[in-house]
Amino acid sequence: MRDEQPLDLLARFGMSDIRMNRRSVLKRALAMGLSAPVIAALLAACGGDDDDSSPTATSSTGGATATTGAAATPTSGGGGTTGGTLVIGRNIDDIVHLDPSSAYEISGAPPLWLAYQSMLLAEPDNLNVFNPVFCEETPSVENGGISADGLTYTFKIKKGIKFSTGKEMTAHDFVFNIKRLWYRQGNPSFVAADLVNDANEVMAEAVDDYTLKLTLKQPNAAFLAFCAGQLMWCGDSEAIKAQGGLDTPDAATADTAEAWLDQNSVGAGPYVLTSWKKAEEVVMERNPNYFGDPVAYDRFVLRYGADSGIQLQQLESGEIDMAMELDADAIKSLDRAKFDVIEGPLLNHVYIAMMMAEDPGGILADVRVRQAIAYSIDYDAYVNELRGGAAIRPASAVPLGMLGADKVADLAYVQDLDKAKALLAEAGVEEGSEVTLSFGGGSSYEGVPNETTAAKLQADIERIGIKVNLNPMDAAQRLEDFRAAKLQFTFSEWGPDYLDVHAYAFPFGGVPDQAPSLRIKYVNEDNVALLDQAIQESDIAKREELYVKVMTNMINDCGFVPLWQPISQYAVKKGLQGVAVHAGWLVLADRIRPPA
Amino acid sequence: MSAFIVRRILLSLLALLLVTVVTFTLTRSVPGDPINAVVSDRIDDPAVIENYRRKFGLDKPLPMQYLYYMRNLARGDMGLSISTSQPVAKDLRRHLPATLELSGAAIIFAILTGLPLGTLAALNYNKAPDALARGVALFGASVPVFYLALLFIYIFSVRLGWFPTGGRLDAGVDPPPFKTGMYTVDALLAGDFALFRQALHHLVMPAVVLGAFSMGIVSRMVRSSLLEVMGQDYIRTARAKGLAESKVVSVHAMRNAIIPAITVIGLLIGSLLAGAVLTETTFAWPGLGRYAVTAATKLDFPAVIGVTLVSATIYIVVNLVVDILYSVIDPRIRQT
């Protein structure tokens, strides 16, 4: 989704400077004996252990429960009594908008799916296949939905789909929403850019009430991935207009529907947004007009939990049914007789970035030095120790799960200190040469404090004779300097804007003026040509071949080296069904059903 | 008296004006462009960046930004928060009552427990009740807020299930119609007693945690003050006149002993607002403290100035009220 703002990330894992596992702190404090007699007396008075007192206690099956994989439990079938409220805990501090034309924050994904869904959907276990949601079939060249030249996409919208307002969904609604998305010129507007011609006209057309025709400026083999995301969030156009929504070029300044759409929704999804209180909760009610299978719960609440420790307490006290952001310690501490853990890989990754130009790259301008650093890193420690095993490691900046990423897995750098030293000697780098590692202080990526990551990198790299000066910076300032290509060496995080390999290969592949390549002054003309070819290639095998070449070049050029790709772990009440980690939507909560 | 109050108010307005200058200068002097907080760095399109700059008034020179800000402030418009994209006044309207409710409950707890504890200790000097009261006061005053919060949550929420771990209401429950923004008060005003109970249920633990420090301070202050007063000649005289001990304490001793406690309570209200940041974070309480932290880290200067102005106003008003209370309780102060 972008190189995240420091606070976006903090918001996902807790407050910026108050980042602690509360249970750990408590345990340590208790261990200090500060008030042990008081606590002991109180605990003795309450009697028993967690099992006895927790209001969430369910019938214990005894023994540990298996951690299920990423594959989704089917939408329908199974489950216990319907009704009630599903409450999911997460740090939702990052949400700024829930208006589909301006929302761009990670935590907004689950409620926005529930309110608006999208034209297509990639299932959690196969992100490269897009299934129809609002249309009769996914467009393809074979079914005539995609023109032979790859420029026109035609969607046949199912008849009878109603918005929560009761009005039937038509192609005109999609046209309105796409135009509004573009003309509001907000963070997510770029997803419509391929549909905009040089005259700033959006080439979206309602051929008739149920036929939507989209025309691209140039072929884009990743376009279906766009159609499975924000580009196709569709609300009742009449209702949006009634609130001051506009689909005209002056929408950037004259559209007044945002405040209303932040608190209400008019989509065709299974739930309707009824309120959003920032950093408190998002509340949704069942959409009585929903066209799909009935959802199990009458209400859905996305509840604020600042960090892993708080979410654990919320889960254990029965206030939430599922915690989305428990860290490795919290997962280990879970009572598996009461809770299940559902895990699946995300498509984010944390990567190091090394400046390729002499200024300010210094010795890093030499590819052999960058490769030496890549060979010096103890990657297993990041995965197993810093992430407690809840991570995998892609070879290039394209995460595993994306087309072709597994094909270059063997090319991944592994720690080889001899090879690293040999490369340094070959490059003529003297012992004690220095690099400066800048990082956002006081924040973390995927639950790992940046200070920890920096210290580990320093220790690893200094083993090959390069002195690493740590430069903790204000996180916002670091981002600003990184954007301006002023940093010699840093690490950062990236997440997907859309579920396609191009969302990574293009920005990381050395295309001039594309972030984050431009931030390390990385240019690879071969990749530019390959990517231009790949984005226009509709044959999946040929496409994969092209991206594999791009990734291979990226690995050899060694400007970006991924440290880890997190595996997300959701802790849920025992027996809760239908939970799966989704790399794009985080979770499809409409599929969740109560324990049988 | 009225001249005194008018003079204090005029000085306060001047202080608030200075607060805007200092806060604006400081927030805009630190390195970093506030636009980074709103524009995703995935976005390179200058049109999008310019659109956001215009939206937040960041497209104008710095002095002009300040002048525009002050002009709008004079009209009651505190600008648009960069971090929330909402009007600052609207944000404050939501967050301030939450903090006031929490701080208010905390100070009530501190007074209701600190005062009797201090009195109990003083009247039983060097006896078991004194030791117990001093122990409780010491615990309250010395244990860090965050630790106490963790302890309470672990014991009373996770283990015993008596109180919720955080938030102002249960998940998905609509707040009462807005009157004051303080849910307990608004629920009562709406006649919704079930909602009042729920809001109170959520308020109790954070208020006790936040108020524990103040309780300790008040208790110790009342104890030492009362001990000093009880040794005065006029107390001996009152006893010699045959007054009941309860009357000696409540009418003669307490009236003088309470003055230092009021000073301390006034100062504590200020510190409660600051201390609320940790409590609000731990208990997921959507108050001013959490809002301020987010705003500061995102260089959200309209929000930072808004919070600073509100906090400064509260300090000033509380100090004014304390000064007035002095003169009401002790007429000798008014005469001087």
Side-chain angles (χ1 to χ4, degrees):
Chain A
M1 190 167 284
R2 65 245 180 233
D3 212 7
E4 296 182 64
Q5 305 287 342
L7 268 188
D8 287 343
L9 277 164
L10 294 185
R12 297 173 66 183
F13 291 98
M15 294 295 289
S16 57
D17 52 353
I18 308 162
R19 180 176 301 284
M20 62 193 73
N21 180 326
R22 302 193 309 168
R23 174 165 281 221
S24 309
V25 170
L26 179 59
K27 281 179 179 169
R28 283 177 199 170
L30 290 173
M32 289 160 58
L34 186 59
S35 51
V38 178
I39 298 162
L42 285 168
L43 294 181
C46 75
D49 55 15
D50 286 7
D51 297 5
D52 303 321
S53 56
S54 170
T56 63
T58 57
S59 59
S60 168
T61 55
T65 57
T67 298
T68 61
T73 304
T75 308
S76 56
T81 313
T82 58
T85 303
L86 174 66
V87 187
I88 293 180
R90 180 179 174 82
N91 188 325
I92 55 171
D93 224 356
D94 60 328
I95 300 178
V96 178
H97 292 294
L98 290 173
D99 176 337
S101 72
S102 45
Y104 197 59
E105 296 77 41
I106 292 166
S107 297
L112 284 161
W113 164 258
L114 295 178
Y116 294 97
Q117 298 197 327
S118 196
M119 184 69 89
L120 305 173
L121 171 69
E123 288 296 327
D125 56 348
N126 189 349
L127 299 172
N128 296 311
V129 174
F130 299 100
N131 299 314
V133 177
F134 293 138
C135 51
E136 290 172 357
E137 58 183 347
T138 302
S140 66
V141 176
E142 291 72 28
N143 66 23
I146 303 176
S147 62
D149 60 5
L151 287 174
T152 306
Y153 285 66
T154 304
F155 294 89
K156 289 286 183 187
I157 296 163
K158 290 175 187 170
K159 292 180 181 171
I161 296 176
K162 286 185 177 175
F163 293 113
S164 57
T165 56
K167 177 183 165 293
E168 188 174 8
M169 173 187 274
T170 68
H172 301 283
D173 295 300
F174 280 96
V175 172
F176 174 86
N177 280 272
I178 293 169
K179 286 184 174 178
R180 181 168 180 262
L181 174 66
W182 172 252
Y183 287 128
R184 291 208 62 221
Q185 287 296 291
N187 276 320
S189 295
F190 77 93
V191 299
D194 278 350
L195 299 172
V196 182
N197 64 21
D198 293 341
N200 197 29
E201 294 163 338
V202 178
M203 295 182 287
E205 180 190 351
V207 177
D208 57 46
D209 281 355
Y210 301 103
T211 308
L212 173 68
K213 187 173 137 189
L214 304 177
T215 306
L216 279 64
K217 278 187 297 194
Q218 59 183 28
N220 183 347
F223 190 67
L224 286 180
F226 282 88
C227 297
Q230 191 156 8
L231 180 65
M232 291 292 192
W233 289 351
C234 184
D236 177 347
S237 58
E238 296 305 319
I240 296 174
K241 282 179 197 168
Q243 297 298 331
L246 296 172
D247 63 346
T248 49
D250 60 345
T253 53
D255 185 293
T256 57
E258 184 178 78
W260 189 84
L261 285 167
D262 282 345
Q263 294 293 332
N264 303 273
S265 67
V266 288
Y271 287 90
V272 187
L273 175 67
T274 57
S275 77
W276 163 48
K277 295 193 281 291
K278 186 169 173 62
E280 282 187 71
E281 60 186 17
V282 178
V283 182
M284 309 184 83
E285 303 274 357
R286 182 196 292 269
N287 173 9
N289 295 314
Y290 180 51
F291 72 103
D293 292 338
V295 289
Y297 293 94
D298 289 338
R299 306 183 90 203
F300 168 80
V301 178
L302 189 59
R303 182 84 162 167
Y304 175 78
D307 57 28
S308 169
I310 290 173
Q311 288 174 32
L312 177 64
Q313 287 164 345
Q314 289 174 324
L315 187 69
E316 290 182 331
S317 66
E319 291 171 28
I320 60 176
D321 300 299
M322 171 175 142
M324 295 182 77
E325 297 169 311
L326 296 194
D327 61 22
D329 286 344
I331 290 288
K332 276 181 198 164
S333 74
L334 275 178
D335 180 350
R336 295 304 180 94
K338 293 180 186 172
F339 305 105
D340 289 330
V341 176
I342 310 296
E343 61 179 34
L346 295 178
L347 292 175
N348 301 28
H349 59 64
V350 177
Y351 63 93
I352 60 171
M354 294 178 275
M355 173 58 70
M356 292 191 173
E358 286 283 351
D359 181 22
I363 58 171
L364 296 183
D366 189 322
V367 66
R368 292 167 296 188
V369 179
R370 298 196 299 271
Q371 289 173 342
I373 287 177
Y375 279 119
S376 74
I377 296 170
D378 177 13
Y379 298 98
D380 290 344
Y382 295 85
V383 171
N384 297 325
E385 292 166 26
L386 302 192
R387 282 287 301 172
I392 48 181
R393 195 170 76 85
S396 77
V398 176
L400 291 164
M402 291 284 93
L403 184 70
D406 56 325
K407 299 288 192 297
V408 295
D410 293 342
L411 302 178
Y413 289 97
V414 291
Q415 190 179 40
D416 186 339
L417 298 180
D418 293 336
K419 198 166 184 176
K421 286 174 184 170
L423 280 164
L424 286 183
E426 193 183 316
V429 173
E430 294 174 4
E431 176 95 14
S433 296
E434 297 184 10
V435 294
T436 299
L437 176 62
S438 303
F439 61 96
S443 52
S444 66
Y445 293 132
E446 301 298 337
V448 180
N450 287 351
E451 283 74 10
T452 307
T453 305
K456 177 67 182 151
L457 281 171
Q458 183 186 42
D460 285 348
I461 297 167
E462 290 195 343
R463 293 176 71 184
I464 59 170
I466 294 178
K467 180 171 169 26
V468 179
N469 300 312
L470 297 186
N471 178 31
M473 302 175 71
D474 170 74
Q477 183 62 44
R478 186 210 68 97
L479 189 57
E480 195 170 325
D481 284 359
F482 190 31
R483 275 175 161 162
K486 290 179 180 173
L487 301 181
Q488 184 189 23
F489 186 24
T490 188
F491 56 92
S492 206
E493 185 178 35
W494 192 269
D497 279 315
Y498 51 96
L499 300 176
D500 188 86
V501 56
H502 202 72
Y504 299 87
F506 189 61
F508 283 92
V511 179
D513 301 330
Q514 280 298 312
S517 290
L518 65 86
R519 294 173 193 162
I520 60 165
K521 299 187 180 174
Y522 174 32
V523 178
N524 185 315
E525 294 298 346
D526 288 345
N527 276 359
V528 173
L530 287 166
L531 286 163
D532 191 45
Q533 205 180 332
I535 194 62
Q536 301 188 46
E537 178 59 65
S538 57
D539 184 289
I540 196 84
K542 288 180 185 167
R543 199 166 174 242
E544 183 178 49
E545 199 178 314
L546 291 166
Y547 282 112
V548 165
K549 287 180 184 170
V550 171
M551 285 181 244
T552 305
N553 289 339
M554 286 161 61
I555 293 166
N556 292 333
D557 293 338
C558 202
F560 303 106
V561 181
L563 294 175
W564 75 84
Q565 177 184 340
I567 291 173
S568 198
Q569 295 177 307
Y570 299 161
V572 302
K573 272 184 181 174
K574 186 87 182 162
L576 204 66
Q577 299 180 45
V579 182
V581 175
H582 192 285
W585 298 104
L586 303 181
V587 63
L588 305 175
D590 53 319
R591 297 181 174 187
I592 299 178
R593 305 183 75 79
Chain B
M1 173 65 101
S2 54
F4 165 74
I5 294 174
V6 169
R7 193 170 65 246
R8 287 292 302 269
I9 289 173
L10 288 177
L11 282 171
S12 303
L13 289 176
L14 184 63
L16 290 176
L17 183 67
L18 285 174
V19 163
T20 64
V21 176
V22 171
T23 314
F24 186 88
T25 310
L26 284 178
T27 50
R28 302 311 307 279
S29 303
V30 294
D33 185 346
I35 208 69
N36 287 325
V38 279
V39 179
S40 164
D41 73 346
R42 182 73 175 80
I43 309 301
D44 297 328
D45 188 343
V48 173
I49 295 172
E50 194 51 37
N51 185 30
Y52 278 112
R53 283 199 185 282
R54 194 171 49 242
K55 181 177 177 182
F56 294 107
L58 297 168
D59 55 337
K60 299 177 181 66
L62 214 53
M64 291 301 290
Q65 287 181 32
Y66 178 72
L67 290 177
Y68 277 119
Y69 179 83
M70 291 309 293
R71 184 196 65 185
N72 293 337
L73 187 63
R75 297 171 179 167
D77 178 1
M78 302 177 93
L80 205 58
S81 162
I82 294 168
S83 53
T84 68
S85 278
Q86 301 290 320
V88 171
K90 187 180 169 191
D91 282 347
L92 293 177
R93 191 164 169 256
R94 179 169 155 249
H95 293 288
L96 178 62
T99 294
L100 290 180
E101 183 177 44
L102 177 59
S103 302
I107 206 71
I108 288 171
F109 165 77
I111 292 170
L112 290 183
T113 52
L115 218 59
L117 266 180
T119 309
L120 182 75
L123 296 181
N124 295 278
Y125 180 63
N126 268 350
K127 294 177 188 166
D130 183 23
L132 180 68
R134 282 163 61 195
V136 172
L138 184 67
F139 181 80
S142 57
V143 177
V145 165
F146 79 90
Y147 175 79
L148 200 60
L150 297 177
L151 192 68
F152 272 47
I153 290 174
Y154 183 68
I155 295 170
F156 297 112
S157 299
V158 176
R159 298 300 298 260
L160 299 174
W162 290 354
F163 294 100
T165 60
R168 298 182 73 186
L169 293 171
D170 290 349
V173 174
D174 291 331
F178 188 94
K179 299 282 185 198
T180 65
M182 292 184 265
Y183 287 178
T184 47
V185 177
D186 288 353
L188 279 180
L189 291 175
D192 190 339
F193 295 104
L195 195 58
F196 168 74
R197 278 196 300 276
Q198 188 182 121
L200 194 62
H201 193 215
H202 279 256
L203 179 62
V204 168
M205 209 157 63
V208 169
V209 166
L210 184 60
F213 174 80
S214 305
M215 177 269 290
I217 300 296
V218 169
S219 167
R220 290 163 70 173
M221 183 58 69
V222 169
R223 177 182 176 275
S224 63
S225 184
L226 200 55
L227 278 176
E228 187 185 336
V229 168
M230 292 297 278
Q232 298 288 320
D233 289 345
Y234 70 89
I235 296 293
R236 202 173 302 122
T237 306
R239 282 177 175 149
K241 280 163 61 181
L243 285 180
E245 186 65 14
S246 60
K247 201 162 186 179
V248 171
V249 172
S250 60
V251 175
H252 293 269
M254 194 55 90
R255 190 162 180 143
N256 282 307
I258 200 79
I259 289 176
I262 288 176
T263 310
V264 168
I265 290 168
L267 293 171
L268 285 174
I269 289 174
S271 71
L272 279 183
L273 291 173
V277 175
L278 282 174
T279 313
E280 286 171 4
T281 302
T282 315
F283 286 102
W285 195 268
L288 207 59
R290 265 176 60 200
Y291 179 67
V293 169
T294 307
T297 48
K298 290 205 169 188
L299 304 178
D300 182 356
F301 70 91
V304 171
I305 297 177
V307 171
T308 313
L309 275 177
V310 166
S311 304
T313 306
I314 291 172
Y315 268 96
I316 287 166
V317 170
V318 167
N319 277 322
L320 189 61
V321 169
V322 166
D323 285 350
I324 294 168
L325 269 181
Y326 281 164
S327 58
V328 171
I329 291 173
D330 188 347
R332 289 172 302 179
I333 294 173
R334 191 166 36 197
Q335 284 158 11
T336 58

